[in-house]
Amino acid sequence: MAIIRRSQWGAPATSPAAYIGSTRGVKVHYLGTAYASRPHEQCAAYVRQIRASHLANKKEGYVDVAYNYLVCEHGATFEGRGVHKRTGANGTLALNLQDYAVCALLGSSGLTKPSDAMLHGIRDAIEELREHGRAGTWVGGHRDGHATTCPGDPLYDWVQRGAPRPAAEEPAEPKPAPSPKPPVKSVVDLSRLVAAAKADPPKRGTPVSYYGVKTVESALVAEGLLAREVADGHFGTATVRAYAAWQRRCGYKGPAADGIPGAESLKKLAARRGFTTTH
Ligand SMILES: [Zn+2]
Ligand SMILES: [Zn+2]
């Protein structure tokens, strides 16, 4: 997530806050007031409002918004004082010199739990402070070493775990592949097959007279009795010749092996080649 620079949300481009070379680490804060969830279009205005209220705080004498970064519930990271600027938020000068400060736009009532997007945004701020502001690796909450409940328990729990980037959403359980359906066995009707064998001239390319012919032809191809290219769905002369060869293989002779299918030879072929017969 890109960081929203000061000039992009309506602050002077550079903070007038005092320079700081490095810090022990980063302290995380929350607003500690009632805060309502709102559309992101309103977040920049809220950050401007925080800055205005800090500038108006005569007691603290802030010269700028007190935090180094502010993060909204949508995960946008607003540049506050930015890197190498001493925060004013940690409670005392010593604490401000010790750590940078990142504030979550999270309330003590209303919106109180950080979203994953917000945690990513806070993490973005911490990483920018480490990479460009010489922040050390320590990370904690405002309450560490100071009498305050800030940054609230839900956020502090995360901070105590080292402010980890939220894990990517678990991929949904892979769905088990649908178990393959048992193949539906073709049924070849003997009487229709015989009708096709008697009637079909070799008319390649014309509509198939009976789909069962194709099943028988495939079986004859598998038996090595018919060339694949003539297995065209028509019970033509090549198929008759091949079926006759099958009949001879079954032990039929002479006119009994005429290439016109009979019940017994067809049943044998069906048993070997995985289809069933009816008549
Ligand atoms: Zn705080
Ligand atoms: Zn937002």
Side-chain angles (χ1 to χ4, degrees):
M1 161 84 61
I3 288 173
I4 300 171
R5 298 297 164 192
R6 293 171 60 89
S7 57
Q8 291 175 282
W9 59 265
T14 306
S15 172
Y19 176 85
I20 190 168
S22 62
T23 66
R24 170 185 68 166
V26 178
K27 276 186 173 168
V28 176
H29 297 249
Y30 75 157
L31 296 167
T33 57
Y35 182 77
S37 177
R38 66 202 63 211
H40 184 58
E41 294 69 49
Q42 296 174 20
C43 291
Y46 197 86
V47 171
R48 284 192 294 273
Q49 186 186 315
I50 293 172
R51 180 169 182 268
S53 76
H54 285 183
L55 288 174
N57 187 330
K58 294 288 178 261
K59 180 169 150 269
E60 296 283 353
Y62 291 131
V63 295
D64 193 9
V65 63
Y67 308 107
N68 296 93
Y69 293 88
L70 304 95
V71 180
C72 73
E73 66 195 278
H74 314 98
T77 301
F78 295 82
E79 183 184 37
R81 295 187 176 193
V83 298
H84 288 301
K85 296 291 180 180
R86 195 174 75 210
T87 178
N90 288 341
T92 66
L93 178 60
L95 295 172
N96 289 337
L97 288 165
Q98 192 168 40
D99 297 299
Y100 286 117
V102 174
C103 183
L105 301 190
L106 208 58
S108 49
S109 64
L111 181 68
T112 58
K113 289 204 176 105
S115 62
D116 276 2
M118 172 177 265
L119 299 180
H120 275 294
I122 298 170
R123 186 75 206 179
D124 288 343
I126 292 169
E127 287 175 6
E128 171 148 294
L129 285 162
R130 286 178 179 176
E131 287 164 24
H132 302 288
R134 293 192 63 204
T137 54
W138 188 89
V139 61
H142 189 184
R143 68 172 68 171
D144 290 312
H146 197 71
T148 172
T149 57
C150 180
D153 289 342
L155 195 52
Y156 190 64
D157 287 346
W158 174 73
V159 166
Q160 279 195 305
R161 288 188 283 114
R165 213 169 261 288
E169 208 155 290
E170 290 288 314
E173 280 286 298
K175 285 194 181 123
S179 53
K181 285 180 187 151
V184 178
K185 279 191 175 179
S186 302
V187 180
V188 174
D189 185 305
L190 178 64
S191 54
R192 295 183 68 185
L193 187 69
V194 168
K198 285 178 172 164
D200 264 3
K203 46 188 171 183
R204 202 185 287 233
T206 56
V208 170
S209 58
Y210 172 51
Y211 69 87
V213 172
K214 187 81 189 167
T215 302
V216 171
E217 284 181 328
S218 297
L220 292 171
V221 169
E223 291 293 335
L225 298 171
L226 182 65
R228 189 173 300 278
E229 54 273 20
V230 292
D232 57 0
H234 293 288
F235 215 120
T237 49
T239 310
V240 169
R241 203 157 40 235
Y243 201 89
W246 171 249
Q247 286 168 322
R248 285 195 296 277
R249 195 176 279 182
C250 293
Y252 297 101
K253 284 181 178 126
D258 60 356
I260 302 300
E264 288 308 312
S265 64
L266 187 63
K267 256 189 200 143
K268 279 184 185 163
L269 188 61
R272 279 175 62 82
R273 293 295 157 191
F275 62 94
T276 59
T277 65
T278 181
H279 48 89

